[in-house]
Amino acid sequence: MAVQLVAVAVALWVLAWVLGKTWVIVLPVLLAVIVCTVLWPPVRWLRSKGLPPAAAVLAVLVMAVGVIAGVVSAVAPAIVNQSGELAEQATAGIVQVRDWLGGPPLNISEAQLNSAVEAINDTLNSSSAQIASGLFTGVGAATSALVTLFTTIVVTFFLLKDGPQFVPWLRRAVGRPAASHVAELLERVWSTLGGFIRTQALVSLVDAVLIGIGLVILGVPLAYALAIITFIGGFVPIVGAFVAGGLAVLVALVANGPVNALIVLGIILAVQQFEGNVLQPWLQSKSMKLHAVLVLLAVTLGATAFGVIGAFLAVPVAAALAVVLRYYDEQVSLQATEADDPDHDDPESAGTVFQEEKAE
């Protein structure tokens, strides 16, 4: 038993090492597979109407880019039209904060405020090397993100174009008797990933609607734009919700004052608590057949190990592993049943083999 545990631990360590070395390749592939679960239904429909695979994929990709561009064009005018007003209000807000700091109960003098500003400037000047290093690091991260995005788009194109040929090729490469098991596992994992994307979209939509209604009622500028940003941010766990919520509170603070901003903050916290503790775990546990506690633990582990990307990929990866374990348990139970009853025939397995032979 001890030898088996050591072997499993070594295997996990080797897997983690290989994953770390090949992460630059693995990440675009994982993202492309998730994107394909969203884009495959329209691609399949276009192909069923007689459109060539490459043309169908290009049409859907162009449509997806058009949708994203449409959302951006819908948000941009409101931001441009109200940016000047918000800038003026921000300046007035800074003056108010300075007056508040100079009045009771703090009674900070103007000399003390100027001294604090000078101290901040001195700190920034002394840390210029670190800031420059961080800037170049940020530029490198942005470049890496662009490369990952481009690779993801290319991999998505070929997966959508040649994806239907992958399973038959894999069947021939694996051979019997593993071919039917691999095909069944891929089908189940694909269905699970599709459920994850649909659930995430539903959760983000609920967040955007509830927060958007609150912003409209409170008269916060850019309410519709902030609601759209909230919906988009819902697909980026942790950071997306934090940035979208912080932006809404900042706009409310600048435009309507601190009381309004506190109310907006309360609405956002309430909605996020409802999402994180009730809606998301419940829906994802239903769509992925995972317990809510496992969903929360997977997100925490993924965020701790790989940051934002890890938090985003943690749940679908955990669900895929759960699919594999459940299928393994089914096969063990089936073999145990056949061992107890040699004359037992599994109609599901027979049907799978028949469909496989028919496909071939």
Side-chain angles (χ1 to χ4, degrees), residues 63-77:
M63 180 184 65
V65 173
V67 170
I68 296 175
V71 172
V72 173
S73 63
V75 174

Side-chain angles (χ1 to χ4, degrees), residues 275-294:
E275 172 213 328
N277 297 319
V278 178
L279 185 62
Q280 189 172 23
W282 179 68
L283 288 176
Q284 287 186 344
S285 63
K286 295 293 182 182
S287 64
M288 297 189 175
K289 298 179 182 179
L290 286 177
H291 194 276
V293 173
L294 292 179

Side-chain angles (χ1 to χ4, degrees), residues 196-223:
F196 165 73
I197 294 299
R198 289 189 294 270
T199 299
Q200 199 68 27
L202 179 59
V203 170
S204 299
L205 180 62
V206 172
D207 283 356
V209 170
L210 294 179
I211 293 177
I213 291 175
L215 296 177
V216 171
I217 293 175
L218 294 173
V220 177
L222 304 175

Side-chain angles (χ1 to χ4, degrees), residues 268-359:
I268 292 174
L269 291 177
V271 171
Q272 289 183 355
Q273 288 299 314
F274 172 71
E275 172 213 328
N277 297 319
V278 178
L279 185 62
Q280 189 172 23
W282 179 68
L283 288 176
Q284 287 186 344
S285 63
K286 295 293 182 182
S287 64
M288 297 189 175
K289 298 179 182 179
L290 286 177
H291 194 276
V293 173
L294 292 179
V295 173
L296 293 175
L297 292 178
V299 172
T300 303
L301 179 61
T304 303
F306 297 101
V308 177
I309 292 297
F312 176 73
L313 296 176
V315 177
V317 169
L321 292 177
V323 168
V324 174
L325 292 177
R326 279 194 294 266
Y327 186 78
Y328 175 78
D329 182 67
E330 290 176 9
Q331 297 304 310
V332 171
S333 301
L334 179 61
Q335 291 181 3
T337 302
E338 291 177 347
D340 295 337
D341 184 8
D343 297 330
H344 174 77
D345 292 327
D346 181 35
E348 182 178 355
S349 298
T352 303
V353 173
F354 173 76
Q355 293 174 1
E356 179 185 343
E357 292 175 352
K358 183 178 179 181

